[in-house]
Amino acid sequence: MASLLFLTALSLLSHSSIAAPAPVSSGTPNTTTRSCVDLALSLPIKANNSIYDIPRVDNNIDAVDFVWDLDHWSAPNATERIRGPKPVDQTFTISAQLCVPQAPNAEKADILQIATHGFGFDKRYWDAGLQPEKYSYVDAALAAGYSILTYDRLGVGSSDKPDAYEIVQVPVQVEILAAIAGLARRGTLATQAKAKASFTVPTFTKTVLVGHSFGSGLTISMLAHYPHLVDGAVATGLIPNTQVGAAGQRAFGLEYAAASNPSRFHDRGSGYLVQGTVSALQQVFFKKGFFEPRVLEYADSIKETGTAGEFVSFGSALERPAGGYRGPILFALAEYDFGTCLGDCKGTYDVSEIRRGLFPGAADVGVHVQPGSGHTLTLHGNATGHYEAVFAYLREWGL
Ligand SMILES: *[C@@H]1O[C@H](CO)[C@@H](O)[C@H](O)[C@H]1NC(C)=O
Ligand SMILES: *[C@@H]1O[C@H](CO)[C@@H](O)[C@H](O)[C@H]1NC(C)=O
Ligand SMILES: *[C@@H]1O[C@H](CO)[C@@H](O)[C@H](O)[C@H]1NC(C)=O
Ligand SMILES: *[C@@H]1O[C@H](CO)[C@@H](O)[C@H](O)[C@H]1NC(C)=O
């Protein structure tokens, strides 16, 4: 497989809301009936990060050279760059949104989906504000009867933005996901949400993890470390295959975030990277013919950062087999994924090898290839087809 790879305190600072009924016309967000609460989760985290030998990024010239440093053919790999352990023991504030379905669609309200976005976005990856009835995964999950929690990963959106080299790495992100799943499993999440919400919050009895891209890597790593916290998993936009990593860092068009867009990213320090142009987003995220140009502009308007530590530690997410995981996992891929499949997912993966190498105890390892989509599956024209395929798989496995 190696060749394939490259809570104590829960505070709810903000409000719950049920939007008042509003007229819904085509193109207007459907605000009729959503029961959602914004949460600021305070999570004590212990994780085993590493100190990597990578260059600092403090301006755009550094950013381009960072990509050179990782991508030149004779570059050392991530493991060879490790200079020592970096134990982390810190409390982080993570911004989350919990939404629960309402009758008559609430038959699966006790199943909580926890969705982890990938590089380049925040939790809005799952909840587009542009034509939500066409693009919002959150709306689709609610309509299918699931409860769903989305969150800004450490380093983006309204979550904390600590050191980009030694703190914001895969192991810390996996522990954060595990901490959230732990809150759900212990009932703490529901208890605390009930205290704030103006709607009925169900007791969550099952957990389904859903990831996108880098967030799928975190989801898979979570299954390896905390299999007992998860009943089902969906990895979108990522599969261990012959092309993972082939596009390299150079495909992203990275700039130093604070210099690239000072008004938006003034709160990002050294080592925070962002895609510089709309065309850079198109390169890795979109396939012509299957998206509306205004959706590409929308993606640019909500684009987010990633860290040097995340880029170098990404491969470690897929290294450890999830031998203890007994549930089903679906890989839901985009037909024309550039980053994951170098533009064409057909024939790049071997399901039996994935099962043998990573999920020997899983109830099932499934693959769905979503036709007519680039990497950002939630922002292509047939996003709802992608969602239906995901929900059909979960239903098939009793979730
Ligand atoms: C708006 O959302 C509600 C609740 O999910 C749904 O019943 C209704 O059909 C939606 N309306 C439109 C126009 O999508
Ligand atoms: C970190 O490593 C130590 C020592 O190997 C181990 O005991 C501990 O469980 C690890 N912590 C995590 C969160 O993986
Ligand atoms: C990194 O290189 C070492 C050899 O120096 C090799 O043993 C190891 O498998 C490589 N790691 C990966 C993830 O390719
Ligand atoms: C939309 O996606 C679904 C699920 O993958 C697929 O069955 C359907 O053919 C797609 N529709 C179009 C027009 O591509």
Side-chain angles (χ1 to χ4, degrees):
M1 287 300 287
S3 67
L4 301 177
L5 309 177
F6 74 159
L7 307 227
T8 43
L10 173 73
S11 60
L12 298 92
L13 300 184
S14 36
H15 55 285
S16 63
S17 62
I18 299 184
V24 177
S25 63
S26 148
T28 309
N30 181 356
T31 53
T32 341
T33 52
R34 274 202 6 173
S35 300
C36 299
V37 60
D38 291 328
L39 315 173
L41 306 175
S42 180
L43 305 174
I45 296 297
K46 286 194 175 112
N48 293 327
N49 275 6
S50 298
I51 296 169
Y52 289 97
D53 182 12
I54 46 171
R56 287 182 65 86
V57 179
D58 293 303
N59 55 52
N60 278 338
I61 289 177
D62 288 351
V64 171
D65 206 59
F66 173 80
V67 171
W68 176 88
D69 196 86
L70 289 187
D71 280 4
H72 67 280
W73 70 265
S74 55
N77 69 32
T79 308
E80 294 166 316
R81 289 171 189 267
I82 293 176
R83 293 293 169 266
K86 169 68 187 177
V88 177
D89 185 354
Q90 226 174 297
T91 295
F92 300 111
T93 299
I94 295 296
S95 169
Q97 173 184 265
L98 173 68
C99 296
V100 304
Q102 297 299 324
N105 286 337
E107 71 275 11
K108 292 184 172 181
D110 64 318
I111 302 178
L112 178 68
Q113 294 197 15
I114 301 177
T116 305
H117 65 83
F119 164 80
F121 290 90
D122 60 22
K123 56 171 136 41
R124 287 172 290 179
Y125 173 77
W126 303 108
D127 202 15
L130 185 73
Q131 270 188 285
E133 70 281 8
K134 195 167 171 193
Y135 297 109
S136 171
Y137 180 79
V138 169
D139 279 4
L142 291 172
Y146 297 98
S147 295
I148 178 164
L149 183 136
T150 55
Y151 67 102
D152 293 341
R153 281 194 292 97
L154 188 68
V156 311
S158 302
S159 292
D160 283 351
K161 302 174 187 78
D163 181 86
Y165 305 100
E166 296 187 357
I167 303 295
V168 188
Q169 292 181 7
V170 162
V172 157
Q173 299 280 18
V174 171
E175 293 303 322
I176 287 170
L177 176 54
I180 295 171
L183 288 180
R185 179 103 342 164
R186 288 195 303 277
T188 318
L189 185 71
T191 305
Q192 298 294 326
K194 275 173 192 161
K196 299 286 174 182
S198 56
F199 49 83
T200 306
V201 180
T203 300
F204 304 120
T205 58
K206 288 184 177 170
T207 302
V208 172
L209 300 186
V210 183
H212 176 240
S213 193
F214 182 81
S216 291
L218 302 178
T219 295
I220 290 167
S221 186
M222 159 97 185
L223 298 181
H225 288 91
Y226 302 98
H228 56 287
L229 289 175
V230 189
D231 301 290
V234 182
T236 74
L238 184 72
I239 192 166
N241 68 2
T242 57
Q243 301 301 326
V244 163
Q249 276 57 228
R250 59 197 176 280
F252 288 87
L254 297 172
E255 295 185 347
Y256 176 53
S260 183
N261 195 327
S263 61
R264 269 169 72 185
F265 302 125
H266 55 83
D267 61 346
R268 314 300 149 103
S270 179
Y272 277 80
L273 298 147
V274 74
Q275 294 179 275
T277 64
V278 174
S279 295
L281 264 76
Q282 183 190 335
Q283 183 72 67
V284 289
F285 288 142
F286 289 89
K287 182 69 178 85
K288 184 184 168 185
F290 303 105
F291 70 90
E292 301 172 80
R294 69 194 190 101
V295 175
L296 175 59
E297 297 293 335
Y298 172 73
D300 186 61
S301 77
I302 64 165
K303 74 179 175 184
E304 271 288 346
T305 56
T307 68
E310 288 177 320
F311 277 102
V312 74
S313 65
F314 176 60
S316 70
L318 303 181
E319 273 169 5
R320 178 168 161 157
Y325 181 60
R326 297 281 176 266
I329 178 164
L330 175 69
F331 290 92
L333 305 173
E335 182 177 12
Y336 302 117
D337 191 311
F338 195 79
T340 294
C341 306
L342 209 54
D344 178 7
C345 282
K346 279 190 309 291
T348 64
Y349 53 86
D350 178 338
V351 178
S352 57
E353 191 187 338
I354 293 169
R355 172 184 269 290
R356 212 167 30 246
L358 278 180
F359 300 104
D364 184 60
V365 177
V367 177
H368 168 74
V369 177
Q370 179 59 30
S373 184
H375 186 60
T376 52
L377 288 139
T378 62
L379 295 175
H380 282 71
N382 192 14
T384 53
H386 165 56
Y387 306 154
E388 279 158 22
V390 168
F391 301 148
Y393 180 83
L394 293 176
R395 277 195 301 272
E396 189 185 333
W397 290 94
L399 294 166

